Amino acid sequence: MKITFIINILLFCFLLNGKAQTPKVVSYFPLQKVKLLESPFLNAQQKDLQYILAMEPDRLLAPYLREAGLTPKAPSYTNWENTGLDGHIGGHYLSALSMMYASTGNEEMKQRLDYMIDELKKCQDAVGTGFIGGTPGSIPMWKEIKEGNIRASGFGLNGKWVPLYNIHKTYAGLRDAYLFAGNETAKELLIKLTDWMIDITGQLSDEQMQDMLRSEHGGLNETFADVYEITGDKKYLTLAKRFSHLFILNPLLEKKDKLTGLHANTQIPKVIGYKRIADLEGNKAWDDASSFFWQTVIQNRSVSIGGNSVREHFHSADNFEPMVTDIEGPETCNTYNMLRLSNMFYQTTCDTHYLDYYERALYNHILSSQEPEKGGFVYFTSMRPGHYRVYSQPHTSMWCCVGSGLENHTKYGELIYAHTDDALFVNLFIPSRLQWDAKKVVLTQETRFPDEEEVRIRIEESKKKAFTLHIRYPNWVDSSKAVSISINGKKVEDTPTAENGYISLHRKWKKGDEVTIQLPMSLTMEQLPDQSNFYSFKYGPIVLAAKMGTEDLKGLYADDSRGGHIAHGKQIPLQNVPLLVGEADQLLSFFRKQEDKLAFTYTGTTFPEKTIEFIPFFRLHNARYAVYFRQVTGADLQTIKEEITKREEVAARLAARTVDLIYPGEQQPESDHFIKYEDSQTGTRDNRHFRSAKGWFGYELKVKDTAESIALVLHKKDRNPDTRILINDVEIVSEPSTSDIDENFIRVMYKLPQELKEGVHQIKFMPKAANSETARIYEVRLIK
């Protein structure tokens, strides 16, 4: 038996770089060729399938029919689906149906998909221009755009809620229906819809296009590039480049991180598009820019579960305090898109660093973002110790993370394996069966990973042809222990450490051959990227977490309210979450692994004193939890305890008096409060968002009790007192009181003209004098 260990796969990558397009160094198997076997991933896939079946296609189609002038067969869903973002879930649903059908062969998925595509064709035919969309009243809006009348803001376009982002979901759904499910009608609709966009934007200047792209637009540049690859017509690649936002691209080309304060998931799809275009035209500069973005987000802006952002935005890379104090932690959509970007880079680089991240994020964020019994999806995965997550329900919750969540659990088979003409790559350790038609090979992977370190790969069918089997050597392997490999029960001696991220075996594989590999794991800890003294703990790639109780899980399963995706229950004071007392380099010595399961007991000193049990985060649901713990030395304990207690008591008193809260300049708080404005601007200063106006801006305030005061947060250096504040068209004339928040910000409190009763009330801000501007307002808080 001859065994060859191939060390330098990357040489293969180098030899291919002369082609015009960026070469795909490895190919992926169609989802149809990879079947999941018993594992948490198969359970997640099946729960997702049930969730998909629980949703009603006619309700998802209703916005499209309405906008086409046809009669809907059922009412629209509520929540985001009838308050301005109508139709966005329908696009995601097309993608989910397509990929679930490819992954499982479930005929109900195909029947639903074909039905929806046929109904969308009726919509396109009825309009007659190629348009398909669900944004309310959007056809007149698109006419305005075509005429050059563009009024763009971060989360609006000509008075509509992110219509470009919305229609991108339709484009992506039609593309996926063709690519994953082979629906030819979807291809026709996709091309006509893309031709319609060429007509809408054809007369716009480059400056007008870039102005329009200030509005969130998803990954339209990617989908237009996909249409180019499908058709071969370069006009679609030209359109893709016109839809590439230079405000984000240009700093990346210069290797500059200008992400702080930006809405995170607005930017990631743009970069996916840059990478897609780079691959199609061999554009190294755009490829390098996309790579710089990936490295920056992963290395400097992500937490241990693989997620990023707080309240949907990139906070300062050198200050992760909001990550552990705010309840709105990493957004699932962000990680959904970072996985897509990682997938693209691995295919063109062979670099297993992309797989290391992909695996981490897949287990610790994506898998954990679905409730394993009911299948609900998570929007924000709070990193605040002692908080919890909220889960969606099929008929109430129509958030963006429901849309991406529908897709996440359909495609677990996409990256478990990859191949070249004469090599097979085993990238992820997920029980599965692979059918490699070109080699007439059927292979089964069996493992109880991460509960066990052993992975077994068995050849079920083979024509006894030679090929190389590359088994990934992950970055989390315990280097102090030997990796053990056996073939057909015989141990392979002198197994080398693979320098390129793989251990490679070459032979003529025959039916019945079995490879067994032991990948030793160890316990490690990971500090927050800003080097503050918060740590999470991992076993191999698996992030561990501690259960912190089940009290006051308000809104655990979301209703259809606009803020239903946020865990609004009581915040556990941080001084009540155990601190780990001791030197940082001693903490791991206090973990004791339990013999019968993947769980650990922490035996070190904590304050308050508590025995902490750690389990994999993806298995911890319907409870409060802690992923990050603060480490303190005994000498610092009292000072830090007093500092935390003081800060938390102030925050708790304010929270107890808060009736409603808006963060101006941030998408969801503003859209949840039905922002309206004229000649208004947003920006950031000292890591906080603001809105101001030369015209005016206003919101709907929601009062469930009573309220008597309004508090605004202003910056000490840029506040402008010349601002009129109107509540229900009555101006506030009371003299404000002020108090410091920190060295940069103050809180200004006004007594309302009269107490507000339960209901919805209007607040409006406008300058006092002509040709002036309101104050920059960073927070609006209604107080009882």
Side-chain angles (χ1 to χ4, degrees), residues 167-173 175-176 190 194 217-230 236 239-240 269 272-273 276 340:
I167 204 168
H168 166 250
K169 309 312 165 197
T170 305
Y171 278 105
R175 173 202 62 195
D176 293 340
L190 173 63
T194 310
H217 52 274
L220 282 171
N221 54 350
E222 180 209 5
T223 52
F224 296 146
D226 291 335
V227 176
Y228 161 65
E229 185 172 55
I230 290 168
Y236 301 120
L239 182 66
I272 292 173
R276 188 76 174 101
R340 296 191 68 236

mmCIF file of all heavy atoms in Angstrom, residues 167-173 175-176 190 194 217-230 236 239-240 269 272-273 276 340:
data_model
loop_
_atom_site.group_PDB
_atom_site.id
_atom_site.type_symbol
_atom_site.label_atom_id
_atom_site.label_comp_id
_atom_site.label_asym_id
_atom_site.label_seq_id
_atom_site.Cartn_x
_atom_site.Cartn_y
_atom_site.Cartn_z
ATOM 1 N N ILE A 167 -35.844 44.442 -3.316
ATOM 2 C CA ILE A 167 -35.916 43.786 -4.624
ATOM 3 C C ILE A 167 -34.720 42.862 -4.854
ATOM 4 O O ILE A 167 -34.800 41.901 -5.633
ATOM 5 C CB ILE A 167 -36.054 44.833 -5.753
ATOM 6 C CG1 ILE A 167 -36.722 44.191 -6.982
ATOM 7 C CG2 ILE A 167 -34.710 45.455 -6.109
ATOM 8 C CD1 ILE A 167 -37.168 45.204 -8.031
ATOM 9 N N HIS A 168 -33.611 43.122 -4.161
ATOM 10 C CA HIS A 168 -32.480 42.183 -4.260
ATOM 11 C C HIS A 168 -32.887 40.780 -3.829
ATOM 12 O O HIS A 168 -32.403 39.787 -4.397
ATOM 13 C CB HIS A 168 -31.304 42.661 -3.400
ATOM 14 C CG HIS A 168 -30.259 41.601 -3.193
ATOM 15 N ND1 HIS A 168 -30.047 40.990 -1.979
ATOM 16 C CD2 HIS A 168 -29.403 41.009 -4.069
ATOM 17 C CE1 HIS A 168 -29.094 40.076 -2.099
ATOM 18 N NE2 HIS A 168 -28.684 40.075 -3.352
ATOM 19 N N LYS A 169 -33.770 40.663 -2.839
ATOM 20 C CA LYS A 169 -34.197 39.330 -2.389
ATOM 21 C C LYS A 169 -34.967 38.613 -3.501
ATOM 22 O O LYS A 169 -34.854 37.391 -3.650
ATOM 23 C CB LYS A 169 -35.059 39.433 -1.138
ATOM 24 C CG LYS A 169 -34.457 40.276 -0.020
ATOM 25 C CD LYS A 169 -33.009 39.912 0.261
ATOM 26 C CE LYS A 169 -32.320 40.970 1.089
ATOM 27 N NZ LYS A 169 -30.844 40.866 1.041
ATOM 28 N N THR A 170 -35.722 39.368 -4.304
ATOM 29 C CA THR A 170 -36.422 38.769 -5.439
ATOM 30 C C THR A 170 -35.433 38.296 -6.490
ATOM 31 O O THR A 170 -35.550 37.182 -7.022
ATOM 32 C CB THR A 170 -37.408 39.784 -6.049
ATOM 33 O OG1 THR A 170 -38.286 40.267 -5.024
ATOM 34 C CG2 THR A 170 -38.231 39.144 -7.156
ATOM 35 N N TYR A 171 -34.448 39.151 -6.805
ATOM 36 C CA TYR A 171 -33.415 38.742 -7.752
ATOM 37 C C TYR A 171 -32.724 37.461 -7.285
ATOM 38 O O TYR A 171 -32.551 36.510 -8.058
ATOM 39 C CB TYR A 171 -32.364 39.851 -7.897
ATOM 40 C CG TYR A 171 -32.731 40.966 -8.842
ATOM 41 C CD1 TYR A 171 -33.129 42.209 -8.358
ATOM 42 C CD2 TYR A 171 -32.653 40.789 -10.219
ATOM 43 C CE1 TYR A 171 -33.444 43.255 -9.217
ATOM 44 C CE2 TYR A 171 -32.967 41.829 -11.083
ATOM 45 C CZ TYR A 171 -33.365 43.051 -10.584
ATOM 46 O OH TYR A 171 -33.688 44.075 -11.451
ATOM 47 N N ALA A 172 -32.309 37.440 -6.017
ATOM 48 C CA ALA A 172 -31.571 36.286 -5.504
ATOM 49 C C ALA A 172 -32.442 35.035 -5.486
ATOM 50 O O ALA A 172 -31.970 33.928 -5.774
ATOM 51 C CB ALA A 172 -31.047 36.593 -4.101
ATOM 52 N N GLY A 173 -33.726 35.192 -5.157
ATOM 53 C CA GLY A 173 -34.626 34.050 -5.145
ATOM 54 C C GLY A 173 -34.824 33.457 -6.528
ATOM 55 O O GLY A 173 -34.832 32.227 -6.704
ATOM 56 N N ARG A 175 -32.713 33.733 -9.062
ATOM 57 C CA ARG A 175 -31.427 33.097 -9.415
ATOM 58 C C ARG A 175 -31.305 31.714 -8.799
ATOM 59 O O ARG A 175 -30.940 30.749 -9.473
ATOM 60 C CB ARG A 175 -30.281 33.985 -8.927
ATOM 61 C CG ARG A 175 -28.895 33.364 -9.082
ATOM 62 C CD ARG A 175 -27.908 34.019 -8.129
ATOM 63 N NE ARG A 175 -28.270 33.834 -6.741
ATOM 64 C CZ ARG A 175 -27.743 34.527 -5.733
ATOM 65 N NH1 ARG A 175 -26.858 35.481 -5.969
ATOM 66 N NH2 ARG A 175 -28.113 34.286 -4.489
ATOM 67 N N ASP A 176 -31.624 31.603 -7.495
ATOM 68 C CA ASP A 176 -31.475 30.322 -6.804
ATOM 69 C C ASP A 176 -32.462 29.286 -7.325
ATOM 70 O O ASP A 176 -32.143 28.090 -7.384
ATOM 71 C CB ASP A 176 -31.641 30.522 -5.300
ATOM 72 C CG ASP A 176 -30.503 31.337 -4.697
ATOM 73 O OD1 ASP A 176 -29.431 31.414 -5.330
ATOM 74 O OD2 ASP A 176 -30.681 31.898 -3.600
ATOM 75 N N LEU A 190 -35.782 36.292 -14.213
ATOM 76 C CA LEU A 190 -34.580 36.961 -13.715
ATOM 77 C C LEU A 190 -33.971 37.853 -14.791
ATOM 78 O O LEU A 190 -33.614 39.018 -14.518
ATOM 79 C CB LEU A 190 -33.568 35.907 -13.259
ATOM 80 C CG LEU A 190 -32.182 36.397 -12.851
ATOM 81 C CD1 LEU A 190 -32.269 37.302 -11.631
ATOM 82 C CD2 LEU A 190 -31.246 35.214 -12.582
ATOM 83 N N THR A 194 -33.757 41.928 -14.748
ATOM 84 C CA THR A 194 -32.468 42.618 -14.851
ATOM 85 C C THR A 194 -32.479 43.606 -16.007
ATOM 86 O O THR A 194 -31.947 44.725 -15.893
ATOM 87 C CB THR A 194 -31.331 41.591 -15.001
ATOM 88 O OG1 THR A 194 -31.449 40.584 -13.993
ATOM 89 C CG2 THR A 194 -29.986 42.269 -14.856
ATOM 90 N N HIS A 217 -28.837 48.392 -0.347
ATOM 91 C CA HIS A 217 -29.252 47.749 -1.599
ATOM 92 C C HIS A 217 -28.846 46.282 -1.673
ATOM 93 O O HIS A 217 -28.821 45.693 -2.762
ATOM 94 C CB HIS A 217 -28.695 48.520 -2.802
ATOM 95 C CG HIS A 217 -27.216 48.774 -2.774
ATOM 96 N ND1 HIS A 217 -26.665 49.863 -2.134
ATOM 97 C CD2 HIS A 217 -26.174 48.083 -3.292
ATOM 98 C CE1 HIS A 217 -25.347 49.838 -2.266
ATOM 99 N NE2 HIS A 217 -25.022 48.758 -2.959
ATOM 100 N N GLY A 218 -28.551 45.684 -0.514
ATOM 101 C CA GLY A 218 -28.248 44.267 -0.507
ATOM 102 C C GLY A 218 -27.061 43.961 -1.389
ATOM 103 O O GLY A 218 -26.099 44.725 -1.469
ATOM 104 N N GLY A 219 -27.110 42.814 -2.097
ATOM 105 C CA GLY A 219 -26.032 42.393 -2.973
ATOM 106 C C GLY A 219 -26.428 42.455 -4.427
ATOM 107 O O GLY A 219 -26.169 41.511 -5.184
ATOM 108 N N LEU A 220 -27.031 43.565 -4.868
ATOM 109 C CA LEU A 220 -27.460 43.660 -6.263
ATOM 110 C C LEU A 220 -26.289 43.517 -7.229
ATOM 111 O O LEU A 220 -26.437 42.928 -8.305
ATOM 112 C CB LEU A 220 -28.184 44.991 -6.500
ATOM 113 C CG LEU A 220 -29.631 45.056 -6.000
ATOM 114 C CD1 LEU A 220 -30.171 46.480 -6.098
ATOM 115 C CD2 LEU A 220 -30.528 44.107 -6.786
ATOM 116 N N ASN A 221 -25.114 44.039 -6.850
ATOM 117 C CA ASN A 221 -23.970 43.882 -7.760
ATOM 118 C C ASN A 221 -23.632 42.403 -7.949
ATOM 119 O O ASN A 221 -23.265 41.973 -9.045
ATOM 120 C CB ASN A 221 -22.759 44.690 -7.282
ATOM 121 C CG ASN A 221 -22.355 44.399 -5.847
ATOM 122 O OD1 ASN A 221 -23.060 43.724 -5.100
ATOM 123 N ND2 ASN A 221 -21.209 44.931 -5.447
ATOM 124 N N GLU A 222 -23.770 41.603 -6.903
ATOM 125 C CA GLU A 222 -23.514 40.166 -7.044
ATOM 126 C C GLU A 222 -24.517 39.496 -7.981
ATOM 127 O O GLU A 222 -24.141 38.718 -8.867
ATOM 128 C CB GLU A 222 -23.556 39.481 -5.684
ATOM 129 C CG GLU A 222 -23.298 37.980 -5.770
ATOM 130 C CD GLU A 222 -23.966 37.169 -4.676
ATOM 131 O OE1 GLU A 222 -24.727 37.750 -3.885
ATOM 132 O OE2 GLU A 222 -23.733 35.942 -4.638
ATOM 133 N N THR A 223 -25.809 39.771 -7.781
ATOM 134 C CA THR A 223 -26.803 39.079 -8.599
ATOM 135 C C THR A 223 -26.716 39.492 -10.066
ATOM 136 O O THR A 223 -26.920 38.672 -10.964
ATOM 137 C CB THR A 223 -28.233 39.315 -8.066
ATOM 138 O OG1 THR A 223 -28.464 40.715 -7.895
ATOM 139 C CG2 THR A 223 -28.445 38.607 -6.742
ATOM 140 N N PHE A 224 -26.383 40.752 -10.330
ATOM 141 C CA PHE A 224 -26.219 41.160 -11.720
ATOM 142 C C PHE A 224 -24.986 40.481 -12.337
ATOM 143 O O PHE A 224 -24.997 40.131 -13.524
ATOM 144 C CB PHE A 224 -26.118 42.679 -11.830
ATOM 145 C CG PHE A 224 -27.368 43.398 -11.389
ATOM 146 C CD1 PHE A 224 -27.300 44.632 -10.756
ATOM 147 C CD2 PHE A 224 -28.610 42.829 -11.598
ATOM 148 C CE1 PHE A 224 -28.457 45.297 -10.349
ATOM 149 C CE2 PHE A 224 -29.782 43.482 -11.188
ATOM 150 C CZ PHE A 224 -29.694 44.712 -10.561
ATOM 151 N N ALA A 225 -23.937 40.293 -11.531
ATOM 152 C CA ALA A 225 -22.777 39.537 -12.014
ATOM 153 C C ALA A 225 -23.159 38.088 -12.292
ATOM 154 O O ALA A 225 -22.668 37.473 -13.248
ATOM 155 C CB ALA A 225 -21.640 39.619 -10.993
ATOM 156 N N ASP A 226 -24.033 37.536 -11.459
ATOM 157 C CA ASP A 226 -24.513 36.171 -11.698
ATOM 158 C C ASP A 226 -25.264 36.075 -13.028
ATOM 159 O O ASP A 226 -25.132 35.090 -13.762
ATOM 160 C CB ASP A 226 -25.429 35.725 -10.548
ATOM 161 C CG ASP A 226 -24.687 35.511 -9.248
ATOM 162 O OD1 ASP A 226 -23.484 35.232 -9.285
ATOM 163 O OD2 ASP A 226 -25.326 35.625 -8.188
ATOM 164 N N VAL A 227 -26.070 37.092 -13.323
ATOM 165 C CA VAL A 227 -26.802 37.087 -14.595
ATOM 166 C C VAL A 227 -25.820 37.135 -15.762
ATOM 167 O O VAL A 227 -26.033 36.490 -16.802
ATOM 168 C CB VAL A 227 -27.809 38.253 -14.655
ATOM 169 C CG1 VAL A 227 -28.498 38.296 -16.018
ATOM 170 C CG2 VAL A 227 -28.848 38.112 -13.546
ATOM 171 N N TYR A 228 -24.729 37.878 -15.587
ATOM 172 C CA TYR A 228 -23.683 37.890 -16.618
ATOM 173 C C TYR A 228 -23.138 36.485 -16.841
ATOM 174 O O TYR A 228 -22.991 36.030 -17.987
ATOM 175 C CB TYR A 228 -22.561 38.834 -16.219
ATOM 176 C CG TYR A 228 -21.267 38.586 -16.956
ATOM 177 C CD1 TYR A 228 -21.175 38.774 -18.338
ATOM 178 C CD2 TYR A 228 -20.132 38.157 -16.268
ATOM 179 C CE1 TYR A 228 -19.984 38.537 -19.020
ATOM 180 C CE2 TYR A 228 -18.942 37.914 -16.938
ATOM 181 C CZ TYR A 228 -18.870 38.098 -18.315
ATOM 182 O OH TYR A 228 -17.703 37.844 -18.977
ATOM 183 N N GLU A 229 -22.837 35.756 -15.760
ATOM 184 C CA GLU A 229 -22.290 34.413 -15.931
ATOM 185 C C GLU A 229 -23.323 33.467 -16.545
ATOM 186 O O GLU A 229 -22.986 32.617 -17.371
ATOM 187 C CB GLU A 229 -21.811 33.848 -14.591
ATOM 188 C CG GLU A 229 -21.128 32.493 -14.749
ATOM 189 C CD GLU A 229 -20.469 32.000 -13.483
ATOM 190 O OE1 GLU A 229 -21.179 31.912 -12.461
ATOM 191 O OE2 GLU A 229 -19.268 31.694 -13.513
ATOM 192 N N ILE A 230 -24.582 33.642 -16.177
ATOM 193 C CA ILE A 230 -25.638 32.780 -16.725
ATOM 194 C C ILE A 230 -25.816 33.009 -18.227
ATOM 195 O O ILE A 230 -26.001 32.067 -19.000
ATOM 196 C CB ILE A 230 -26.962 33.026 -15.978
ATOM 197 C CG1 ILE A 230 -26.868 32.475 -14.537
ATOM 198 C CG2 ILE A 230 -28.144 32.391 -16.698
ATOM 199 C CD1 ILE A 230 -28.009 32.917 -13.630
ATOM 200 N N TYR A 236 -24.574 42.907 -18.452
ATOM 201 C CA TYR A 236 -24.958 42.636 -17.065
ATOM 202 C C TYR A 236 -23.771 42.802 -16.112
ATOM 203 O O TYR A 236 -23.951 43.202 -14.964
ATOM 204 C CB TYR A 236 -25.558 41.243 -16.952
ATOM 205 C CG TYR A 236 -26.783 41.049 -17.815
ATOM 206 C CD1 TYR A 236 -26.815 40.078 -18.812
ATOM 207 C CD2 TYR A 236 -27.906 41.857 -17.656
ATOM 208 C CE1 TYR A 236 -27.928 39.912 -19.621
ATOM 209 C CE2 TYR A 236 -29.030 41.702 -18.461
ATOM 210 C CZ TYR A 236 -29.025 40.727 -19.443
ATOM 211 O OH TYR A 236 -30.136 40.571 -20.235
ATOM 212 N N LEU A 239 -23.599 46.448 -15.567
ATOM 213 C CA LEU A 239 -24.601 46.835 -14.580
ATOM 214 C C LEU A 239 -24.113 46.499 -13.177
ATOM 215 O O LEU A 239 -24.291 47.308 -12.243
ATOM 216 C CB LEU A 239 -25.917 46.111 -14.868
ATOM 217 C CG LEU A 239 -27.095 46.450 -13.939
ATOM 218 C CD1 LEU A 239 -27.534 47.904 -14.119
ATOM 219 C CD2 LEU A 239 -28.274 45.503 -14.194
ATOM 220 N N ALA A 240 -23.497 45.342 -13.003
ATOM 221 C CA ALA A 240 -22.985 44.949 -11.689
ATOM 222 C C ALA A 240 -21.965 45.958 -11.186
ATOM 223 O O ALA A 240 -21.978 46.338 -10.002
ATOM 224 C CB ALA A 240 -22.370 43.551 -11.766
ATOM 225 N N PRO A 269 -22.895 42.358 1.990
ATOM 226 C CA PRO A 269 -23.307 41.933 0.639
ATOM 227 C C PRO A 269 -22.625 42.718 -0.475
ATOM 228 O O PRO A 269 -22.393 42.173 -1.567
ATOM 229 C CB PRO A 269 -24.822 42.175 0.650
ATOM 230 C CG PRO A 269 -25.210 42.142 2.094
ATOM 231 C CD PRO A 269 -24.048 42.751 2.807
ATOM 232 N N ILE A 272 -19.394 40.968 -1.042
ATOM 233 C CA ILE A 272 -19.623 39.726 -1.785
ATOM 234 C C ILE A 272 -19.701 40.034 -3.278
ATOM 235 O O ILE A 272 -19.144 39.313 -4.114
ATOM 236 C CB ILE A 272 -20.913 39.044 -1.297
ATOM 237 C CG1 ILE A 272 -20.729 38.524 0.135
ATOM 238 C CG2 ILE A 272 -21.320 37.895 -2.222
ATOM 239 C CD1 ILE A 272 -22.002 37.984 0.762
ATOM 240 N N GLY A 273 -20.361 41.132 -3.610
ATOM 241 C CA GLY A 273 -20.445 41.544 -5.010
ATOM 242 C C GLY A 273 -19.094 41.935 -5.585
ATOM 243 O O GLY A 273 -18.770 41.598 -6.732
ATOM 244 N N ARG A 276 -17.341 38.771 -6.288
ATOM 245 C CA ARG A 276 -17.940 38.073 -7.437
ATOM 246 C C ARG A 276 -17.462 38.692 -8.752
ATOM 247 O O ARG A 276 -17.087 37.984 -9.694
ATOM 248 C CB ARG A 276 -19.464 38.156 -7.339
ATOM 249 C CG ARG A 276 -20.200 37.314 -8.377
ATOM 250 C CD ARG A 276 -20.152 35.847 -8.005
ATOM 251 N NE ARG A 276 -20.970 35.053 -8.917
ATOM 252 C CZ ARG A 276 -20.468 34.336 -9.923
ATOM 253 N NH1 ARG A 276 -19.169 34.301 -10.161
ATOM 254 N NH2 ARG A 276 -21.269 33.620 -10.691
ATOM 255 N N ARG A 340 -20.964 33.245 3.285
ATOM 256 C CA ARG A 340 -20.995 33.251 1.820
ATOM 257 C C ARG A 340 -19.677 33.795 1.276
ATOM 258 O O ARG A 340 -19.120 33.267 0.302
ATOM 259 C CB ARG A 340 -22.167 34.084 1.309
ATOM 260 C CG ARG A 340 -23.532 33.519 1.687
ATOM 261 C CD ARG A 340 -24.675 34.218 0.942
ATOM 262 N NE ARG A 340 -24.614 33.899 -0.471
ATOM 263 C CZ ARG A 340 -24.550 34.797 -1.440
ATOM 264 N NH1 ARG A 340 -24.556 36.096 -1.146
ATOM 265 N NH2 ARG A 340 -24.497 34.436 -2.713
#
